[in-house]
Amino acid sequence: MDNFLITGGAGFIGSNFVRHLRDQEPGRGIVVLDLLTYAGNRASLAGIDDIDLIVADIRDTDLVRDLLRTRQIDTIVHFAAESHVDRSIEGPDAFIETNVIGTHSLLKAAKAEWLDAGSGRPHKFHNISTDEVFGSLEADDPAFSETTPYAPNSPYSASKASADHLVRAYHHTFGLVTTTTNCSNNYGPYQFPEKLIPLFVIRALHGQKLPIYGDGMNVRDWLHVTDHCRAIEACLQRGVPGETYNVGGGEELPNITVVDKICAAVDAAFEADLRLAERFPASPAAQGRSCAELKSYVTDRKGHDRRYAIDERKARADLGYVPERDFAQGLRETIAWYLANEDWWRPLLPRSPD
């Protein structure tokens, strides 16, 4: 693998992977293709040496094919996606356009350049997917494995399931060298502040209510984005063409537990650094109280999946992947990052929370 095209590389997981790739493979060529919609951010790529950012749409098949040819790309890592379930409920069309049509456009370009043009270039198309394609688990159900039938329940997960099937079809029908990883809930630096952890951290800092869906007992597996990047790298190096691998963090937690841990960690940060009270005077923690008082229960989301869990034995056995961060460590590091990088997240807020 010499030259990479990273789609969605200015987004949360994509930008973290670009940083990881540059650290691990300093001599590799990296082209980032990102439309810079609401979740794509140039600032997430700041300080990374020797990358090219192309602001364009993955649905532009001719442009992608030209990039593959002129930049001698041999590896596509496909992150670009609409990914927020609430947004998919409010407006499903964008999810079909980006996640289904966009993925198919990339596959067509890869097939045309890598296979049809007869370049003979060794190649790999790696597809980033989600555990949400498997649907919802009951409390006693076994965790999702790679053989769990797809049963998506939201427009978002349905669009990702469609993309996964297209990737599989292009491998089995045309011989395109592909792999897919289905990951659990990611968290860490550079995450757009509409997702649970950055949203609740920022709201706690500003003394705003923390809206918890339903009874707060929906369960997710939590994966630090750095561990996810390590798993993707392992899949690129050792993944079997045509195979899929589940990637998790080994931390299955109810949402209410995550919220309580966020509140406790923010409280602890204020206790350790008295200057935070001056920066964020509206936070309960600035007045010696707990951010837990901001918790508020709201009407549950439509079709809200009850539980996700990851069986990652295949990734451990075949790729040598083992998560390195537990949730306690990862959450502390994540909150510390958001406290240290207010200049990154504040411009992304729809309005000042003050």
Side-chain angles (χ1 to χ4, degrees):
M1 296 177 289
D2 293 315
N3 296 307
F4 288 78
L5 177 66
I6 312 296
T7 73
F12 164 43
I13 308 175
S15 64
N16 275 278
F17 183 73
V18 172
R19 292 177 182 278
H20 176 84
L21 186 62
R22 178 52 75 226
D23 288 342
Q24 299 299 314
E25 302 280 354
R28 305 307 190 194
I30 300 176
V31 177
V32 171
L33 178 62
D34 200 301
L35 193 55
L36 296 182
T37 59
Y38 72 96
N41 188 351
R42 288 180 186 270
S44 298
L45 297 171
I48 308 176
D49 295 331
D50 195 24
I51 63 169
D52 290 328
L53 171 61
I54 308 297
V55 181
D57 196 321
I58 60 172
R59 294 175 296 176
D60 189 339
T61 309
D62 291 338
L63 178 143
V64 173
R65 185 176 180 185
D66 184 66
L67 286 174
L68 297 181
R69 182 176 61 256
T70 60
R71 304 300 182 93
Q72 296 186 312
I73 301 294
D74 54 28
T75 305
I76 295 174
V77 186
H78 176 36
F79 294 95
E82 294 282 347
S83 64
H84 196 251
V85 174
D86 286 353
R87 287 178 181 262
S88 81
I89 294 170
E90 296 168 1
D93 288 2
F95 289 74
I96 302 303
E97 287 292 330
T98 299
N99 300 352
V100 183
I101 305 302
T103 299
H104 189 221
S105 173
L106 291 171
L107 290 165
K108 288 192 296 181
K111 173 180 175 292
E113 187 58 32
W114 288 339
L115 301 180
D116 299 345
S119 67
R121 178 182 293 276
H123 65 271
K124 178 167 282 189
F125 185 111
H126 183 71
N127 174 48
I128 308 297
S129 190
T130 171
D131 58 0
E132 297 190 41
V133 298
F134 299 119
S136 184
L137 295 170
E138 297 298 328
D140 297 328
D141 287 342
F144 299 134
S145 74
E146 289 80 2
T147 60
T148 301
Y150 275 28
N153 290 320
S154 71
Y156 162 61
S157 56
S159 67
K160 291 298 289 183
S162 299
D164 293 358
H165 290 319
L166 285 168
V167 172
R168 174 185 172 86
Y170 265 70
H171 170 73
H172 285 276
T173 300
F174 303 117
L176 196 70
V177 178
T178 69
T179 48
T180 291
T181 45
N182 295 86
C183 69
S184 58
N185 277 33
N186 278 228
Y187 69 101
Y190 300 103
Q191 188 169 28
F192 189 76
E194 69 181 358
K195 297 299 181 77
L196 191 152
I197 289 178
L199 175 66
F200 277 33
V201 169
I202 293 169
R203 292 183 72 90
L205 293 176
H206 294 89
Q208 293 187 320
K209 292 293 185 182
L210 307 179
I212 302 162
Y213 280 133
D215 62 2
M217 293 304 294
N218 300 78
V219 174
R220 300 293 182 263
D221 177 272
W222 291 90
L223 170 65
H224 193 277
V225 67
T226 301
D227 281 330
H228 187 192
C229 292
R230 291 175 48 249
I232 295 166
E233 180 187 24
C235 190
L236 289 171
Q237 293 174 346
R238 296 184 286 278
V240 175
E243 290 294 309
T244 65
Y245 300 90
N246 284 354
V247 178
E251 296 275 359
E252 194 178 333
L253 298 169
N255 285 345
I256 188 61
T257 299
V258 174
V259 175
D260 286 338
K261 289 180 180 294
I262 292 171
C263 292
V266 173
D267 292 346
F270 274 76
E271 291 177 8
D273 185 353
L274 299 181
R275 294 170 298 179
L276 292 177
E278 299 177 4
R279 289 173 58 192
F280 304 105
S283 175
Q287 294 123 40
R289 308 195 314 274
S290 174
C291 292
E293 69 183 47
L294 299 172
K295 292 189 297 184
S296 175
Y297 290 87
V298 299
T299 302
D300 205 358
R301 181 167 67 198
K302 294 179 180 178
H304 198 177
D305 289 340
R306 190 62 171 174
R307 172 177 167 247
Y308 305 145
I310 288 286
D311 178 346
E312 60 188 31
R313 285 176 292 180
K314 181 178 178 181
R316 289 175 181 258
D318 294 1
L319 307 180
Y321 165 73
V322 179
E324 292 182 345
R325 281 178 173 81
D326 62 22
F327 187 74
Q329 175 191 357
L331 183 62
R332 285 194 305 272
E333 293 175 355
T334 298
I335 291 176
W337 187 89
Y338 279 92
L339 289 172
N341 290 275
E342 184 179 354
D343 58 339
W344 180 87
W345 55 258
R346 187 167 289 281
L348 303 179
L349 302 181
R351 59 181 176 81
S352 174
D354 294 316

